[in-house]
Amino acid sequence: MHKMLPPILMLILSLCSFTAAAENTELTNNLNKIQSLIDSDVKALPSTKGEIKNFLEYRIGRNATLLQETLKEQMDKTNPDVAFLKPYIVKQLAFTNAVEAYFAKQKAELMGEAGPGSDRKIMLGLMQIQREQDKLFTSEHELLSWAKTAGINVDAEGKAFVAALISRADDLNSFVYYNQERLNQAVADVQIAGADVSADQKSLVVELKERLDQSSSSLNSTIEILDAYGQNTALYKQTLFSVSGDITQDVLNFDVASNLLSEWMTIAKNQAMENGAGIMFKLIIFCLILFLSSLVGRVAKSVVQKAVSNSKLKFSMLLQDFFISLSGKVVFALGLLIALSQLGFELAPLLAGFGIAGVIIGFALQDTLSNFASGMMILVYRPFDVGDLINAGGVTGRVSHMSLVSTTIKTLDNQRLIVPNNKIWGDTINNITVEHQRRVDLTFGIGYGDDIEHAEKVLRDIVMAHPLVLKDPEPMIKLHTLGESSVDFIVRPWTKPEDYWDVYWDITRTVKMRFDAEGISIPFPQRDVHIYQTAIEK
């Protein structure tokens, strides 16, 4: 057959066969090298102790992981060479069984220890074994899957593996509940001790929390593998949910959801039968206190409103609104605390918790607190009041109202802008209407050929004739500058702040009309353009 192939094709086939053989040789050498290191360390392990033993255990685990990763890389190929990989898979399965037996021996040795402080040492050792077993069972699950792909009959091994998983899940399920109860008791002891809590009590809470997290993590890992084998894990998932309180997709499982619902209903029923009357009475008292607090808060707002409005201190409208709003909220807050105490809440820890939360929130809301502080400064120093026309924070308009964190301003074109208080307090505040008089600054220019005295008389007549111009202070009309193309007069009448624009626009319009009627020119900039022609030399 090969003799009939073209020479070039035979060469390509030979090269491909040689490359594949070379790759298999390199892979074989690599796998054999790793396996040799594992076998050597396993053989030396029984005769070692202490740190050397820990080191050998670490290196065996690391090399076993490296070997399995190499096998995984080969098995994940499109057409893996299962015949070549089969012996290594079988050997790895035997190795995992040996490691499981080793862990079982370690557990027995730990349980046999006794003496002062041995309980914590045993628990720490068991936690370490749990972590290692998590990796071991995951590895064995993967190897069994590869064995089926390679055509190896592992039915018996699979059944034994599932049985071991179920046994482990049962143990972990009980261990989770045990750790949870121990943790709850330890936390309760710390709360009872209060300021006298010891370092050992704190350390125990941390240790139990770590144990609970580890056992929950191991149970979750076991559940995932059991799910892959189609086993019923509803009971174990219910345990995880009861401990962690995390709502995951497992809650959608009918068995888990029904078990949880049944448990909650039983607890609610027992509580209702034993404490139903007392709870109902406390809820009625709670609602009644809140209702009375609301009524008292309204009365307090009315009293404060009358007090601040008639006060000789002449509070600004902003400060009056602040005191009125604050009084109602303070009364209701006190009523809420009293109502909570009727439900059995301890006010001292609650207030302490509010204090701690306040510090945390303070760091998180620094900008808001800056606005709050700026609002307090505005209320104290009263740079403006409700209805004032101001220019602050880059905004011009009338103050509508103000809270402790922001000020609402309506612009002259009736837009509502909410400006943070720190933007206002941290910038120049121009209160346009706080004074009762405002000067209108106008500039008018006449031509160099016009009569200055005549123009000045016309301007004075126009200003003095306007009904909104104040007689005192007296308007100022002066020749100001000699410009490039005009002689400029400044015209500065005084008026009320609310009449500013009326005076400005009326005088400007009247000046133009009177100047035209009196023959006074209003020059505008001009530029002469000169064009020069030059002869082009030929």
Side-chain angles (χ1 to χ4, degrees):
M1 179 67 181
H2 291 298
K3 293 181 179 179
M4 298 175 63
L5 294 174
I8 186 64
L9 187 55
M10 291 181 63
L11 179 60
I12 293 173
L13 289 173
S14 299
L15 287 173
C16 290
S17 300
F18 177 77
T19 303
E23 288 180 354
N24 280 346
T25 301
E26 182 181 357
L27 179 61
T28 301
N29 292 336
N30 188 24
L31 291 174
N32 288 340
K33 180 181 178 181
I34 298 173
Q35 188 64 59
S36 177
L37 289 172
I38 294 173
D39 293 341
S40 175
D41 287 341
V42 168
K43 185 177 180 180
L45 188 61
S47 61
T48 58
K49 292 182 179 180
E51 194 68 23
I52 299 299
K53 180 180 180 182
N54 294 336
F55 168 70
L56 288 181
E57 289 176 347
Y58 165 77
R59 190 163 67 175
I60 291 171
R62 184 172 177 273
N63 285 328
T65 301
L66 180 61
L67 181 60
Q68 188 147 341
E69 287 176 352
T70 305
L71 293 176
K72 178 177 174 59
E73 182 181 347
Q74 297 299 316
M75 291 298 297
D76 287 343
K77 290 183 177 180
T78 306
N79 294 309
D81 189 353
V82 293
F84 169 75
L85 298 172
K86 186 183 295 186
Y88 296 100
I89 295 173
V90 172
K91 194 160 188 176
Q92 278 296 100
L93 278 172
F95 173 75
T96 56
N97 291 332
V99 173
E100 180 57 32
Y102 180 75
F103 284 148
K105 182 181 177 183
Q106 280 192 322
K107 282 184 181 180
E109 292 176 354
L110 277 172
M111 301 301 289
E113 293 185 5
S118 61
D119 288 345
R120 289 193 174 183
K121 181 180 178 182
I122 291 172
M123 286 301 178
L124 289 174
L126 289 176
M127 285 174 59
Q128 179 62 33
I129 292 175
Q130 281 182 6
R131 282 191 286 268
E132 296 299 328
Q133 282 184 319
D134 290 342
K135 294 184 284 186
L136 178 66
F137 278 96
T138 302
S139 173
E140 189 170 355
H141 169 58
E142 200 168 29
L143 286 168
L144 288 172
S145 175
W146 294 343
K148 291 180 180 179
T149 303
I152 304 172
N153 185 2
V154 289
D155 292 342
E157 290 82 352
K159 290 180 181 179
F161 180 62
V162 170
L165 283 172
I166 294 174
S167 176
R168 183 173 193 249
D170 289 334
D171 292 341
L172 289 171
N173 192 65
S174 301
F175 199 53
V176 165
Y177 277 121
Y178 171 76
N179 286 329
Q180 185 186 31
E181 291 183 7
R182 286 288 311 280
L183 178 61
N184 291 339
Q185 183 60 49
V187 171
D189 292 341
V190 168
Q191 291 176 343
I192 293 172
D196 299 327
V197 62
S198 65
D200 287 340
Q201 287 177 310
K202 294 180 180 178
S203 176
L204 180 61
V205 170
V206 174
E207 181 182 324
L208 289 170
K209 180 66 170 63
E210 291 177 354
R211 280 164 49 178
L212 180 60
D213 290 342
Q214 175 57 47
S215 54
S216 299
S217 175
S218 297
L219 180 58
N220 185 61
S221 174
T222 305
I223 288 172
E224 289 178 356
I225 301 175
L226 284 172
D227 283 339
Y229 284 91
Q231 299 297 309
N232 183 8
T233 58
L235 179 63
Y236 310 131
K237 291 176 181 177
Q238 180 183 343
T239 298
L240 286 181
F241 179 78
S242 300
V243 171
S244 67
D246 293 334
I247 298 178
T248 63
Q249 61 181 1
D250 293 331
V251 177
L252 300 178
N253 182 288
F254 178 76
D255 292 333
V256 178
S258 61
N259 289 340
L260 287 173
L261 184 60
S262 176
E263 182 179 340
W264 292 340
M265 290 297 291
T266 302
I267 294 174
K269 181 181 177 181
N270 293 336
Q271 289 290 333
M273 292 179 63
E274 295 175 6
N275 306 313
I279 293 174
M280 286 300 297
F281 180 75
K282 289 180 179 180
L283 287 175
I284 292 172
I285 296 296
F286 176 80
C287 295
L288 181 61
I289 292 175
L290 289 184
F291 176 71
L292 293 176
S293 300
S294 179
L295 291 180
V296 174
R298 293 178 186 176
V299 173
K301 289 174 68 175
S302 300
V303 172
V304 172
Q305 184 176 8
K306 291 180 180 179
V308 296
S309 60
N310 298 326
S311 174
K312 294 181 180 180
L313 297 176
K314 296 181 180 180
F315 292 123
S316 65
M317 290 298 298
L318 290 176
L319 198 57
Q320 290 180 32
D321 291 342
F322 170 72
F323 282 129
I324 293 168
S325 176
L326 182 64
S327 61
K329 292 176 180 176
V330 167
V331 170
F332 186 80
L334 291 175
L336 178 61
L337 291 176
I338 296 172
L340 289 174
S341 68
Q342 298 303 310
L343 291 179
F345 290 94
E346 292 290 338
L347 293 185
L350 188 63
L351 293 175
F354 284 156
I356 297 172
V359 174
I360 298 171
I361 294 171
F363 282 108
L365 302 177
Q366 294 183 36
D367 292 340
T368 302
L369 292 178
S370 173
N371 290 326
F372 181 88
S374 298
M376 292 299 298
M377 297 299 290
I378 292 172
L379 289 173
V380 171
Y381 287 98
R382 300 185 292 183
F384 54 81
D385 202 352
V386 174
D388 285 350
L389 180 64
I390 66 170
N391 185 344
V395 175
T396 300
R398 293 193 179 275
V399 179
S400 174
H401 57 275
M402 175 187 145
S403 68
L404 285 177
V405 295
S406 65
T407 299
T408 302
I409 298 175
K410 282 190 177 180
T411 62
L412 298 176
D413 57 349
N414 204 34
Q415 296 184 58
R416 179 178 294 180
L417 303 180
I418 299 175
V419 185
N421 285 336
N422 62 354
K423 296 285 186 182
I424 295 177
W425 186 252
D427 200 355
T428 302
I429 302 174
N430 179 13
N431 193 331
I432 299 170
T433 58
V434 69
E435 300 295 340
H436 300 296
Q437 299 168 341
R438 186 178 178 191
R439 193 180 71 187
V440 183
D441 290 352
L442 299 163
T443 302
F444 299 105
I446 64 173
Y448 273 92
D450 294 321
D451 188 344
I452 293 176
E453 293 183 356
H454 179 54
E456 186 174 358
K457 181 178 182 301
V458 170
L459 290 171
R460 186 171 299 278
D461 291 343
I462 292 171
V463 171
M464 299 303 294
H466 198 289
L468 298 180
V469 172
L470 300 176
K471 306 303 180 183
D472 186 26
E474 185 179 353
M476 177 186 292
I477 300 172
K478 298 290 183 179
L479 194 151
H480 185 51
T481 58
L482 301 176
E484 293 183 0
S485 58
S486 64
V487 178
D488 298 327
F489 285 89
I490 56 170
V491 179
R492 295 178 176 176
W494 291 82
T495 186
K496 294 179 180 179
E498 60 268 22
D499 298 330
Y500 177 89
W501 287 109
D502 289 335
V503 172
Y504 186 99
W505 294 324
D506 289 349
I507 291 179
T508 301
R509 182 176 185 274
T510 305
V511 167
K512 175 63 171 77
M513 295 174 66
R514 284 289 300 277
F515 274 14
D516 290 345
E518 299 288 341
I520 300 173
S521 63
I522 301 177
F524 50 86
Q526 298 182 8
R527 181 167 297 179
D528 294 335
V529 179
H530 301 274
I531 301 176
Y532 297 93
Q533 294 182 350
T534 58
I536 301 175
E537 296 182 1
K538 296 183 179 180

